[in-house]
Amino acid sequence: LGNANNTFYSPGVLNQTTQFRVVIQNGTCPEIYSSVSTITVNPTPAIIDIPNQDVCIGDVVTFGQSFSTGFDYEWSSNGGYSSILPQATITFTNLGTEVYTYRITDNNNPTACYAEDTFTIIVNPLPQANVIASTSICEGDIIAIGGAPVSGSAPTWTSSPAGFSSNNWNPN
């Protein structure tokens, strides 16, 4: 386990319960054996990976997973959100970007192992549906009925009675 000047041994990352002991020899003296030390490796809780995503203001989204006995749940965000429920149902009321952290702690073992997931939510504004005010024109006249394009949005125009459709922002 190294040379005589080493006082500590680090076995690296353990993924299973492992037993260790050391044998020491000093010159011509007989070997001395330590007692056995058992390092118990407890599993890390499984956690759902929540992807980064875009939502619209006013959206209500539920994140997380089902409750399991013996586990603690903790939610937090840089915007002040917090919860201790296994699932978080969030109503997005502020525009912008918020980073959320979801932690599950396993209280079924003495080490209280935990897993954590961090994800980013971007809250976007609702698009504006712009149309001109109701007006009168003469038969055969052409009139532009829409408005300026809204970044990230796509229009679909229809009419009543049926017969008109367009995907242009300001059709005529």
Side-chain angles (χ1 to χ4, degrees):
L1 296 182
N3 62 41
N5 295 328
N6 287 344
T7 56
F8 297 99
Y9 171 71
S10 178
V13 176
L14 298 177
N15 56 16
Q16 64 184 4
T17 298
T18 305
Q19 294 182 328
F20 295 94
R21 76 175 186 179
V22 65
V23 178
I24 303 292
Q25 185 172 12
N26 187 358
T28 60
C29 296
E31 294 176 339
I32 301 294
Y33 293 83
S34 71
S35 59
V36 173
S37 175
T38 300
I39 307 300
T40 302
V41 177
N42 293 305
T44 301
I47 191 167
I48 293 173
D49 179 37
I50 301 170
N52 298 335
Q53 52 197 278
D54 285 24
V55 298
C56 289
I57 195 152
D59 282 356
V60 178
V61 182
T62 299
F63 303 101
Q65 54 205 69
S66 300
F67 174 79
S68 291
T69 301
F71 291 83
D72 287 338
Y73 302 87
E74 181 182 353
W75 292 88
S76 61
S77 78
N78 64 335
Y81 180 83
S82 67
S83 175
I84 57 170
L85 298 174
Q87 293 184 327
T89 299
I90 302 171
T91 302
F92 295 97
T93 57
N94 296 312
L95 296 175
T97 301
E98 197 159 350
V99 178
Y100 291 82
T101 301
Y102 177 40
R103 176 184 278 207
I104 301 174
T105 303
D106 183 353
N107 293 317
N108 295 308
N109 61 63
T111 55
C113 298
Y114 68 89
E116 201 169 79
D117 183 42
T118 299
F119 60 99
T120 300
I121 301 293
I122 298 173
V123 182
N124 296 299
L126 294 174
Q128 295 294 315
N130 296 320
V131 64
I132 65 167
S134 295
T135 189
S136 297
I137 62 171
C138 293
E139 185 178 345
D141 284 352
I142 296 174
I143 187 169
I145 58 174
V150 176
S151 179
S153 301
T156 302
W157 290 88
T158 59
S159 66
S160 178
F164 174 81
S165 66
S166 175
N167 292 332
N168 293 322
W169 279 102
N170 196 8
N172 54 26

